[in-house]
Amino acid sequence: VYTIDEKGCCTFLNAEAERLVGWRFEELRGQRLHDIIHFQTGSGERIPACDCAIMTKLTHERKYQSEDQFFTHRDGRRFPVSVVAVRLNREGASAGAVVMFQDITERRGVLQELEESEQRLSIALSASSTGLWDYDPVNDRAIYSDTWFSMLGYEPRQGAQSGQSFFALLHPDDFAKYR
């Protein structure tokens, strides 16, 4: 968590924020944080202060939230952050903001691994001509692959994706086992 005044200058930085950005509050007090921790994208492209999403959004809106921003550590390393900034008002005018952020490097890595795993599964199912179905009884949701539909003589995605559609396709002798 950090706070900034209406000019974007640091007025508070908690211990976790100090750890994440590599600076102590005493070093950043009164400094414009955009120029120190939020001046570049994940690819290193410079972000002019006038284009700072946090500051520009807060001039028009009370709250700004994003998972597409990057902060820069003191050592130069950029890291993705989930950020929520809330504008502070004093007598009807902006008095700065409270900004909460979290390093989401690990989360992004896990999501990337999940996407890659899903792609590999999709390729394997397609190459093997395997029909796949899955039923979630808690939410009454059924998921069928296009190949599964084709194996039963249906057009892909034809019919409802629910338990009712699954049970309607069962042989009557098997129905009691699954109900």
Side-chain angles (χ1 to χ4, degrees), residues 66-155:
S66 175
E67 296 206 352
D68 295 325
Q69 299 297 309
F70 284 80
F71 283 175
T72 303
H73 188 275
R74 184 179 196 155
D75 65 10
R77 176 178 40 89
R78 295 177 299 275
F79 59 97
V81 293
S82 172
V83 63
V84 176
V86 179
R87 185 179 66 217
L88 298 172
N89 292 318
R90 184 177 315 131
E91 299 175 12
S94 176
V98 175
V99 182
M100 296 146 285
F101 70 97
Q102 179 181 21
D103 180 344
I104 58 171
T105 302
E106 186 176 328
R107 182 186 327 163
R108 282 196 170 186
V110 168
L111 289 174
Q112 178 67 34
E113 288 175 12
L114 179 59
E115 280 181 25
E116 291 170 3
S117 176
E118 288 176 347
Q119 286 177 338
R120 286 191 304 274
L121 176 60
S122 178
I123 290 167
L125 288 172
S126 178
S128 67
S129 297
T130 301
L132 176 73
W133 63 267
D134 185 34
Y135 176 59
D136 173 4
V138 173
N139 296 305
D140 189 35
R141 183 168 176 242
I143 299 170
Y144 311 106
S145 69
D146 290 347
T147 304
W148 187 86
F149 274 113
S150 297
M151 293 169 103
L152 296 177
Y154 295 103
E155 292 294 319

Side-chain angles (χ1 to χ4, degrees), residues 156-169:
R157 309 287 174 213
Q158 181 180 349
Q161 303 258 330
S162 67
Q164 183 177 359
S165 65
F166 171 76
F167 290 116
L169 298 171

